[in-house]
Amino acid sequence: MIARLLVAVLAVAALGAGESTRLTVTGSSTVAPLVTEIAKRFEARHPGVRIDVQTGGSSRGLADAESGVADIGMVSRALKPDEPVLAHTIARDGVCLIVHRSNPVVALSDQQVVAIYTGQVAGWKEVGGPDLPIVVVNKAEGRSTLEVFCGHFKLKNADIKAAVVIGDNEQGVKTVAGNPAAIGYVSIGTAESDAAVGVAIRLLPMGGIAPSVGNVRSGTFPLSRPLNLVTKGVPTGLAARFIAFATSDEVFDLVRDLNLVPIR
Amino acid sequence: MLALAAIPALLVVVIIAFVARASAPALADIGLLRLFSDPGWHPTADAFNLWPMLAGSLAVMALALALALPLGLGCAVCLRFFAPPPASRTLRLLLALAAGVPSVVYGLWGLSELVPLIARWRQPGASLLAGAVVLALMVLPTIALTAEAALAAVPATVLRGAAALGLSRWGTVVGVALPAARRGIMAGTVLAAARALGETMGLLMVCGNVVQVPGSVFDPVRTLAANIVLEMAYATGAHRGALAVSGLVLLALVLALLLLVEQAPRRAHG
Amino acid sequence: MADLAPVRRGPARADWHSVVLAALAWGAAAVVVGALGWIVVDLLGAGARRLSWQFLTTAPQRSGRSGGIAPMLVSTALILATCLAVAVPLAIAAAAVLAVPVSSGAGRARRLRIGLDLLAGVPSIIFGLFGAELFCRVLGLGFSILSGGLTLACMALPIMVRVLAAGLAAAAGEHGAGAAALGLSRTTTLLRLLLPAAAPAFAAALALGVGRALAETAALIFTSGYVDRMPGSLLDSGRALSVHIYDLAMNVPGGDASAHATALVLMALVLAVDGLSAWLLLRRRPWPAGA
């Protein structure tokens, strides 16, 4: 009887002790692979700590951070002014246009891109490419890469005439790699990693600037978005220590490993 | 035992209640009429027309069943009436294997092999046809294995009777066994149709996801289920509610399908 | 099959109907095998180089692009076990209600049937959100293997019940009267007589249920979660193989090879589980019912 009571008390105590060494991070599936690797390194340096990373999308990350369901949220875009959370940027990610590797077009002007995406230019021949219809690949509404794209080219999503709509960046890459007539826009990190292992795509420069990680870091490449960890108010305790670690230069190699851009 | 059997029906009620509760605010704000008459689906621009996606879901399901039913029945007949034991064991295992392949894998294969193939024929490749083929592959095992189970349930005495009457293999299978197994085959087909309406990941990758009523099998479409996955990750506020409503519409569609099947006229012998 | 008429009837006149039927049947099987074969060859081409003993026994590194899938294998096995532990008894109970009609039970059977068909039509993403709400939040299980297994049990139930019910109905037709004459109780009749006689249907039901469970992705993302650590208990979050495949293929740039290799491992797992259950259930056949 006493033994059972003792076990119960110890169990409750263990439960209580466990709470302060555990973090829950939810949100964007784009940021999740990076945060998972950062969390693993953090756990290795702080034995006994557990950081659980879950996905569900940027809007979930926002909602969970706000409501307290999660300690930290992951959001793959800049915060809007009416969102009541604090953002801590852990990486930047450029957005660039990609075409099939066999497409001879090496650059497109901003006006050409707008004309292609609004359907005014329908054939590759008109912009110096092969005699094929242009298959326009656009992102689904609400996605941050779409908003960055539309913001830069001053387009409204309703004006875009797309032949294919995609969700994740990899889907965009695979769609373009499988179709010599396709054009799309994806995260530079994804496109560079894939092109490096031989996937049949080519990245296009924007306004003459090459789409490289270096150019995004220096700010010369015009299209990029921040990858953020968000918290409700100023973070404290374990969450604060994790965020400090995630924004330190000790994780820059992890950021670069995913072809993302370190914040410094 | 009886109490346990009540759980599925209870579960359905709870799920419907859950989706209904999530849709209530959007239904109140947007209203049922606008869901079918707005100028297109642009949630960030306050347009919420579900009809093109509803048409897309129905079209993909119908085409997929048109492909999967003959193939599935053919496999079932082969398993039950033609294949010797080693071959039938292998085919049955392959079908069971196909049932366990995640839709992501079918979708990936579709995206990297099927879509480029169709694109060479007619752009953009990602289309109703691609979705139907991938979906047919996904529901085929269900149809084949349930049809086989139904055919196996036809009593041996009935089959022996047919042979005694001098019926050919064709006569026995088409004239006796298939009609006798009709209920079971129908049940399997309904399950496949329901699964087809609810399929998300695989179709997301190969259908093209353009919100339009398909004019031909080469047109890209967006299904209701794929739309939920596609937009949920970034949807906030009213957009989220609209997605919940599309979920409710999907459930209503499945219910309508089921009731339609239940009312179908039956012949005297079940 | 020995009872059926041979395909060719008589020396002079070929029964071309049956020949056509045979061609169609074998043709269908060939198309299906061909399509599956294409997919497997594709997977092997892209993923075979990642397969190794290390792949099966170590943890993932660099977001899964190197290292292995051991934690995912364990999580998947646990999720599957939970799912079957819940779904199988429920399926037997529900199938019994559908297959063995009781005079007062016609309405109940009809409600059950419609309920199951509706359940089959719920999109997996809605199951994911519903499971997250019911099991993770309301029941307090959080992101856990248990939540995932319970959600999957709901999803696998309809197909399992339908297949099992068909088999039980046939068995009841052949043996039910005899059992009643012997004065056996309904439960005894079900468990000791009908279920063993319906072993092939049970095996098929298991195969389809296992398949449904292992193939599911969207529902698991929201219930058993994304954590790629080796799970310590059923209450831990664990990444299933299907979720890992999805992440590697769609989220992690350069993760293709690992995604295809993981898919191959998953298929091997399906084969192993299905093969095992078929062997266990079909090796002893007390009654050659319907051969």
Side-chain angles (χ1 to χ4, degrees):
Chain A
M1 174 65 188
I2 305 277
R4 257 186 251 157
L5 215 58
L6 201 64
V7 169
V9 168
L10 282 173
V12 171
L15 221 79
E19 297 298 57
S20 61
T21 55
R22 204 167 174 155
L23 271 186
T24 304
V25 185
T26 72
S28 160
S29 52
T30 316
V31 188
L34 175 60
V35 175
T36 308
E37 291 305 304
I38 294 178
K40 277 200 211 142
R41 189 172 281 184
F42 188 81
E43 283 174 352
R45 303 208 184 169
H46 300 87
V49 166
R50 273 176 57 140
I51 303 179
D52 282 350
V53 179
Q54 307 289 354
T55 53
S58 289
S59 55
R60 184 182 179 134
L62 266 174
D64 285 355
E66 222 182 309
S67 65
V69 166
D71 300 295
I72 302 175
M74 299 181 287
V75 176
S76 57
R77 59 169 169 80
L79 287 182
K80 301 208 176 78
D82 58 348
E83 281 162 354
V85 290
L86 219 58
H88 317 270
T89 305
I90 58 171
R92 293 199 70 84
D93 186 23
V95 176
C96 75
L97 285 159
I98 52 170
V99 293
H100 194 267
R101 197 167 49 198
S102 69
N103 195 329
V105 172
V106 289
L108 287 171
S109 72
D110 280 12
Q111 298 96 299
Q112 285 175 315
V113 173
V114 171
I116 288 173
Y117 266 80
T118 51
Q120 287 158 2
V121 168
W124 278 110
K125 227 152 69 152
E126 297 173 59
V127 289
D131 189 13
L132 288 170
I134 304 184
V135 175
V136 175
V137 179
N138 193 20
K139 277 244 179 168
E141 204 156 312
R143 304 245 160 182
S144 58
T145 22
L146 170 70
E147 287 178 2
V148 168
F149 182 78
C150 286
H152 176 82
F153 289 104
K154 313 272 190 297
L155 284 170
K156 279 212 290 280
N157 194 29
D159 299 330
I160 296 183
K161 305 270 175 290
V164 178
V165 174
I166 54 148
D168 296 310
N169 288 311
E170 268 302 326
Q171 189 180 354
V173 169
K174 289 182 165 69
T175 304
V176 172
N179 193 334
I183 180 172
Y185 58 90
V186 294
S187 128
I188 292 184
T190 311
E192 266 195 343
S193 307
D194 284 334
V197 294
V199 174
I201 56 168
R202 182 172 346 108
L203 291 75
L204 292 181
M206 196 91 62
I209 317 283
S212 72
V213 166
N215 282 343
V216 175
R217 174 137 55 114
S218 63
T220 48
F221 191 82
L223 243 62
S224 79
R225 55 169 178 164
L227 300 181
N228 286 320
L229 293 178
V230 298
T231 51
K232 190 168 176 71
V234 178
T236 57
L238 187 59
R241 277 187 287 148
F242 180 66
I243 292 180
F245 181 71
T247 48
S248 73
D249 50 14
E250 297 178 76
V251 300
F252 281 3
D253 62 320
L254 294 174
V255 173
R256 275 191 284 266
D257 194 34
L258 283 162
N259 275 45
L260 296 168
V261 182
I263 50 176
R264 283 186 293 277
Chain B
M1 183 85 64
L2 291 175
L4 282 179
I7 290 183
L10 193 65
L11 216 49
V12 169
V13 171
V14 175
I15 292 180
I16 294 181
F18 166 70
V19 180
R21 194 187 63 174
S23 330
L27 273 176
D29 287 336
I30 305 172
L32 206 59
L33 189 65
R34 275 188 58 193
L35 288 170
F36 291 92
S37 59
D38 263 1
W41 173 267
H42 296 288
T44 49
D46 203 37
F48 298 101
N49 193 346
L50 287 176
W51 169 240
M53 294 188 281
L54 191 65
S57 285
L58 283 169
V60 168
M61 178 199 81
L63 193 55
L65 280 180
L67 292 171
L69 198 54
L71 283 175
L73 276 181
C75 281
V77 168
C78 184
L79 274 172
R80 185 77 188 85
F81 294 111
F82 289 104
S88 69
R89 267 201 298 273
T90 314
L91 182 59
R92 201 175 291 119
L93 204 58
L94 273 173
L95 284 168
L97 174 65
V101 174
S103 52
V104 185
V105 177
Y106 283 118
L108 270 178
W109 168 80
L111 188 54
S112 51
E113 300 279 337
L114 197 61
V115 167
L117 201 68
I118 298 178
R120 276 205 281 275
W121 197 356
R122 197 98 91 75
Q123 295 282 8
S127 56
L128 176 60
L129 182 62
V133 171
V134 166
L135 193 54
L137 278 175
M138 279 191 252
V139 299
L140 195 68
T142 305
I143 296 185
L145 289 173
T146 49
E148 198 224 345
L151 285 172
V154 175
T157 46
V158 172
L159 296 174
R160 278 190 222 118
L165 285 170
L167 283 179
S168 66
R169 189 72 69 99
W170 162 274
T172 311
V173 172
V174 176
V176 179
L178 281 178
R182 219 175 68 250
R183 282 264 193 90
I185 295 175
M186 198 52 158
T189 311
V190 169
L191 274 171
R195 169 91 187 273
L197 280 175
E199 176 51 41
T200 42
M201 302 299 231
L203 291 181
L204 184 54
M205 293 197 236
V206 303
C207 276
N209 299 313
V210 175
V211 181
Q212 61 183 8
V213 179
S216 86
V217 296
F218 295 104
D219 282 347
V221 295
R222 191 186 295 196
T223 61
L224 282 172
N227 182 55
I228 297 176
V229 175
L230 200 56
E231 302 194 334
M232 205 191 58
Y234 292 84
T236 46
H239 191 178
R240 253 212 137 91
L243 291 179
V245 175
S246 66
L248 199 62
V249 170
L250 247 181
L251 289 178
L253 197 62
V254 176
L255 186 60
L257 177 79
L258 288 175
L259 291 177
L260 204 73
V261 169
E262 287 270 314
Q263 306 298 2
R266 290 187 184 153
R267 270 192 253 151
H269 171 64
Chain C
M1 245 181 302
D3 296 332
L4 291 174
V7 174
R8 279 187 172 277
R9 188 170 56 169
R13 191 162 52 111
D15 172 24
W16 69 272
H17 282 111
S18 297
V19 172
V20 167
L21 183 68
L24 286 174
W26 281 108
V31 167
V32 174
V33 173
L36 281 175
W38 188 358
I39 295 177
V40 173
V41 165
D42 218 35
L43 288 175
L44 281 170
R49 63 187 158 95
R50 286 278 288 133
L51 289 175
S52 69
W53 184 246
Q54 268 70 33
F55 189 67
L56 294 174
T57 53
T58 55
Q61 284 163 16
R62 293 184 63 225
S63 307
R65 287 171 292 179
S66 42
I69 55 170
M72 276 63 101
L73 271 172
V74 173
S75 296
T76 306
L78 289 173
I79 294 174
L80 184 63
T82 312
C83 166
L84 289 178
V86 171
V88 169
L90 275 177
I92 294 177
V97 168
L98 283 182
V100 187
V102 171
S103 55
S104 60
R108 189 189 298 126
R110 185 162 180 269
R111 277 196 299 275
L112 180 59
R113 205 174 45 238
I114 295 186
L116 283 170
D117 284 342
L118 260 180
L119 216 54
V122 175
S124 47
I125 178 79
I126 292 192
F127 259 119
L129 296 170
F130 167 74
E133 178 71 13
L134 179 63
F135 301 117
C136 300
R137 202 183 68 85
V138 172
L139 292 182
L141 298 172
F143 280 100
S144 63
I145 290 174
L146 200 54
S147 303
L150 288 171
T151 310
L152 284 185
C154 302
M155 300 178 75
L157 207 57
I159 181 76
M160 292 180 73
V161 172
R162 284 313 207 123
V163 174
L164 195 52
L168 282 178
E174 295 214 29
H175 307 291
L182 285 172
L184 294 175
S185 76
R186 282 177 57 82
T187 318
T188 311
T189 313
L190 177 68
L191 294 177
R192 300 300 200 120
L193 190 67
L194 298 182
L195 211 49
F202 194 29
L206 265 180
L208 285 166
V210 166
R212 191 84 179 87
L214 287 174
E216 189 42 51
T217 316
L220 289 178
I221 292 179
F222 294 97
T223 49
S224 53
Y226 183 79
V227 174
D228 63 354
R229 199 184 300 118
M230 182 73 79
S233 79
L234 288 181
L235 289 174
D236 279 344
S237 167
R239 192 189 293 189
L241 284 171
S242 52
V243 176
H244 192 52
I245 296 172
Y246 176 72
D247 194 50
L248 285 171
M250 293 282 115
N251 261 331
V252 179
D256 253 17
S258 298
H260 287 99
T262 311
L264 285 167
V265 172
L266 180 62
M267 288 171 100
L269 189 62
V270 174
L271 276 176
V273 176
D274 286 340
L276 185 68
S277 64
W279 179 73
L280 279 175
L281 289 168
L282 299 178
R283 62 190 167 141
R284 291 185 293 111
R285 296 287 306 281
W287 298 277

